[in-house]
Amino acid sequence: MSTAYSLPGAAWRKSSYSSNNGGNCVEVASGLPGVVPVRDSKDPQGPALSFTQAAWSAFLSEVKSGNFPA
């Protein structure tokens, strides 16, 4: 696991499904070839999970298919 400060050059963006009321907020970074870092936007200096592009794409595909019920 890495931390946000150990990912220089990462361009973080908040999920469009995250609200502004302090709820479940996820940020994903771009600009790092071959890796997709994900972090909790409420703790931007905290840990970030890093996934391969293939693993992240597979996860998003499953979410969009409804395979992870709320």
Side-chain angles (χ1 to χ4, degrees), residues 1-7 10 12 27 29 32 36-40 43-51:
M1 188 168 3
S2 55
T3 56
Y5 61 82
S6 66
L7 297 169
W12 294 96
E27 291 182 327
L32 301 169
V36 180
V38 180
R39 71 181 181 188
D40 181 348
D43 187 14
Q45 298 305 317
L49 299 175
S50 298
F51 301 93

Side-chain angles (χ1 to χ4, degrees):
M1 188 168 3
S2 55
T3 56
Y5 61 82
S6 66
L7 297 169
W12 294 96
R13 63 181 175 81
K14 188 183 284 192
S15 167
S16 61
Y17 290 96
S18 295
S19 64
N20 289 325
N21 63 4
N24 299 324
C25 300
V26 175
E27 291 182 327
V28 178
S30 59
L32 301 169
V35 66
V36 180
V38 180
R39 71 181 181 188
D40 181 348
S41 66
K42 295 182 303 299
D43 187 14
Q45 298 305 317
L49 299 175
S50 298
F51 301 93
T52 64
Q53 184 65 48
W56 185 248
S57 294
F59 171 72
L60 290 180
S61 178
E62 293 297 310
V63 168
K64 290 175 183 179
S65 296
N67 292 327
F68 297 106

